[in-house]
Amino acid sequence: MGLHTLHLVLYYKKNPFGIFDVDPLRVSLSEVLCLYPQITGRLTRRESGNWEVKCNDAGVRVLRAKVEASIDEWLRSADGSEEKDLTFWEEMPEDPSTWAPFRIQVNEFEGGGVAFGLSCTHMNADPTSITLLFKSWIESHRQEPIEHPPFFNSTIFHHQQVPNTSTNSTNYYATKANAKTPAVKMVTSTFKFSNSAIKKCLNKVHDQCPKATPFDLLAALFWTRVMHLKAPKHDNKHSLSICLDFRRLVQPPIPLGYFGNALQFSLLTLNEEEMNCGKLGHVVELVHRHVSGVGEEEVWSVVDWLESQKEEGGKYAPPFRMYGPELTCVSMEHMITGHKSLMFSASFKSDEKPVHVACHVGNVEGEGLIMVLPSAEEGLARTVMVTLPEEEMPKLCEDQAIQRLQPTMLISGTR
C-alpha cells in the first residue's frame, strides 16, 4: 500500500459546539490518542530496510479551515478535487522523521456546518481503521466507552498452516506487481441511492440472484456501465478487481478494531458474451458467487506470498499499485451491522449524525475505482464514489441504466 493514501471526510449539518471552539476536541483527541500510539509516531526504516513506526508521541497534525459556502451548496457544487482539499496532505519527504503520517482538518462551513477530514498513508491504515479512529474520538468526546478499541497485535498473521503461494489470488498479485499503467487525469463523482431504489432493483434480479447484496448489485451495475465507456479489449475479456475486508473472513475472526490493513484483492474476469447477455441479474449472480467464494485460504495465501517476496536480509519487495490497473471495486458492507452503519454512528449528539461520508484513495490509476459505501439513510441505501479518467465521467453520469435508479448526485467530477 506504499503508493496510496487515504482521505476520509465526515460532514455534519450543524456545528456541534455552537460557536466553534476546537479546544474541547483537542482534549478528547489527546485522550483517545493514548490508545493509538502508532498514530502519534513517525515512520522510520529498520536495519532490514522495512518501514516501522517509532512511537515517540510526536503527535497528529490538526488544522482548521473555513469554507466560503454552506454545506448544502458545497455538496451540490464542489467537485472531487475540492472535496479532497477538506483533508490536508503533504507527500512524504525523503527524511520522514518529523513528517506526520496522520492529519486532521476541521472545516467550518457558512451557516454552521462542519466537515472533519482525516488523511493518512494507506500503509498505516485501511478505511475501516481510520473510520473507527474517528468514531473512537467522538465516543471519547462524549465520555462513552470505546465500542471498537484498537488492536495492534500483528502476530494474528503468523498462522500455523503450511504456506500456500499458488492460488488465484497470489497469481493475481504477482501479475499486478509487474503491471505498468499510464498516468491520466482522474476525477471523482458521488452517487447516492435510496433504500427504495436499491430494494426495487434487488427485487428485479431476485430470480437470478436471490441472495444478492447491495454491493453485488452496485458492483455489477457500475462495472457493466463503465465497461461500455472503455475501448474494446483485444481478448474480449473484462476484469474487475474486488476489494474486501477480511477481518471476518478468517477463523478466528480478527477484531474489527485491528489497526492496519486487512484488505483482500481478487480478480473476477468475464468474457464479452457474459457481460452483454442483456440481464444485469446474471452479472450480479457472478459477482455474488465470486465474493462468497473468497475465503480463508485465499487470504492466507496472499500473506504467505508477500512474505515469500522478501529480499535477502528480510526486506519486503517494492510496493506496487493495488488500485489499478484494472477497474477496482471496494466493498464496505462489513461496516453495516443490522440497520446500523458504523460510518454514520460517530455522532456528537443523538440527533447529530453525519449527513454524508466520503472516502478517497490517493494515487489511483488505470481503469478506475468504485467504492460502495454506507449511506446516511438506513436500510439498503448506499453511496457510490466513482473515480474514472476525466473524459469518461460525463458519459457515466448520464448513463440511463444508472439514472433509472434516480441517484442523488453530490460531489461531481463533471462540473
Side-chain angles (χ1 to χ4, degrees):
M1 287 298 183
L3 299 182
H4 300 290
T5 56
L6 272 182
H7 310 269
L8 185 73
V9 184
L10 299 99
Y11 293 88
Y12 290 82
K13 196 85 168 182
K14 297 178 181 179
N15 188 326
F17 309 100
I19 298 175
F20 196 85
D21 183 1
V22 78
D23 288 337
L25 280 176
R26 290 184 186 275
V27 173
S28 56
L29 179 60
S30 297
E31 291 172 351
V32 81
L33 288 179
C34 293
L35 303 175
Y36 289 87
Q38 292 191 14
I39 290 178
T40 59
R42 296 293 180 261
L43 287 168
T44 186
R45 294 278 193 181
R46 296 179 182 174
E47 289 185 7
S48 65
N50 292 327
W51 288 110
E52 71 174 0
V53 177
K54 184 177 182 181
C55 295
N56 56 5
D57 200 27
V60 170
R61 294 277 190 268
V62 179
L63 297 96
R64 207 172 155 183
K66 287 187 177 292
V67 182
E68 295 181 349
S70 70
I71 191 169
D72 290 331
E73 291 170 339
W74 175 269
L75 290 172
R76 285 196 307 267
S77 62
D79 61 30
S81 63
E82 290 171 323
E83 180 172 64
K84 207 170 175 182
D85 285 341
L86 299 181
T87 66
F88 175 68
W89 190 248
E90 290 177 337
E91 294 301 323
M92 184 192 302
E94 187 172 337
D95 176 12
S97 59
T98 61
W99 177 81
F102 286 84
R103 317 288 176 97
I104 297 173
Q105 182 167 311
V106 183
N107 305 276
E108 300 171 64
F109 292 90
E110 290 183 353
V114 63
F116 294 88
L118 287 75
S119 295
C120 69
T121 58
H122 206 325
M123 63 179 175
N124 281 66
D126 60 15
T128 298
S129 297
I130 195 171
T131 300
L132 293 181
L133 164 64
F134 183 80
K135 184 173 179 292
S136 298
W137 176 18
I138 302 308
E139 288 166 344
S140 175
H141 184 77
R142 294 183 63 173
Q143 298 183 330
E144 295 178 349
I146 305 300
E147 183 179 8
H148 299 286
F151 178 79
F152 296 102
N153 188 355
S154 61
T155 59
I156 55 175
F157 294 108
H158 300 161
H159 61 108
Q160 301 301 314
Q161 302 173 15
V162 177
N164 177 12
T165 58
S166 300
T167 64
N168 291 333
S169 292
T170 56
N171 292 335
Y172 172 46
Y173 275 62
T175 301
K176 183 183 283 288
N178 296 308
K180 303 296 181 184
T181 308
V184 298
K185 183 178 179 181
M186 309 291 279
V187 297
T188 300
S189 289
T190 300
F191 304 74
K192 289 187 74 171
F193 296 93
S194 68
N195 174 71
S196 59
I198 298 297
K199 185 176 182 179
K200 183 178 180 180
C201 200
L202 285 173
N203 286 335
K204 288 183 177 180
V205 303
H206 182 269
D207 289 344
Q208 291 87 20
C209 189
K211 295 184 178 180
T213 66
F215 173 78
D216 301 330
L217 171 67
L218 292 166
L221 174 64
F222 277 88
W223 184 18
T224 54
R225 305 325 299 167
V226 169
M227 178 203 71
H228 289 289
L229 307 177
K230 306 290 184 183
K233 300 291 184 71
H234 67 278
D235 57 0
N236 292 323
K237 291 184 177 180
H238 301 275
S239 296
L240 181 69
S241 177
I242 296 179
C243 174
L244 305 173
D245 186 279
F246 68 72
R247 287 169 173 81
R248 293 172 178 169
L249 293 180
V250 298
Q251 294 298 326
I254 298 171
L256 196 61
Y258 168 72
F259 198 87
N261 278 279
L263 300 178
Q264 171 76 7
F265 291 78
S266 58
L267 193 67
L268 173 59
T269 301
L270 302 181
N271 59 41
E272 194 85 31
E273 183 179 353
E274 289 174 303
M275 293 290 287
N276 290 320
C277 68
K279 292 185 178 180
L280 177 63
H282 177 67
V283 182
V284 173
E285 165 62 22
L286 294 174
V287 171
H288 177 78
R289 191 186 308 168
H290 178 88
V291 171
S292 301
V294 177
E296 202 167 5
E297 181 182 8
E298 295 288 325
V299 171
W300 293 130
S301 71
V302 170
V303 174
D304 294 333
W305 181 82
L306 290 169
E307 289 292 319
S308 73
Q309 301 303 297
K310 285 182 175 179
E311 302 170 1
E312 186 176 349
K315 184 179 181 180
Y316 280 103
F320 50 90
R321 197 171 312 281
M322 293 306 303
Y323 299 90
E326 301 86 8
L327 184 66
T328 303
C329 191
V330 178
S331 171
M332 294 296 287
E333 294 290 294
H334 64 286
M335 297 294 280
I336 302 172
T337 56
H339 293 290
K340 177 185 177 183
S341 165
L342 295 178
M343 296 190 93
F344 286 87
S345 59
S347 53
F348 290 93
K349 299 177 182 178
S350 58
D351 60 342
E352 290 180 357
K353 297 179 180 179
V355 294
H356 179 57
V357 176
C359 185
H360 293 263
V361 176
N363 205 13
V364 172
E365 292 186 1
E367 294 189 353
L369 173 65
I370 302 163
M371 295 198 73
V372 181
L373 305 166
S375 190
E377 181 186 356
E378 294 184 351
L380 302 174
R382 296 292 185 270
T383 296
V384 181
M385 295 182 62
V386 183
T387 301
L388 291 176
E390 185 177 30
E391 68 275 7
E392 297 176 3
M393 186 62 78
K395 295 179 181 178
L396 183 73
C397 292
E398 297 171 359
D399 186 273
Q400 290 304 301
I402 294 174
Q403 288 301 320
R404 277 195 288 271
L405 273 69
Q406 298 180 314
T408 300
M409 300 296 298
L410 297 181
I411 306 295
S412 178
T414 62
R415 296 186 179 93

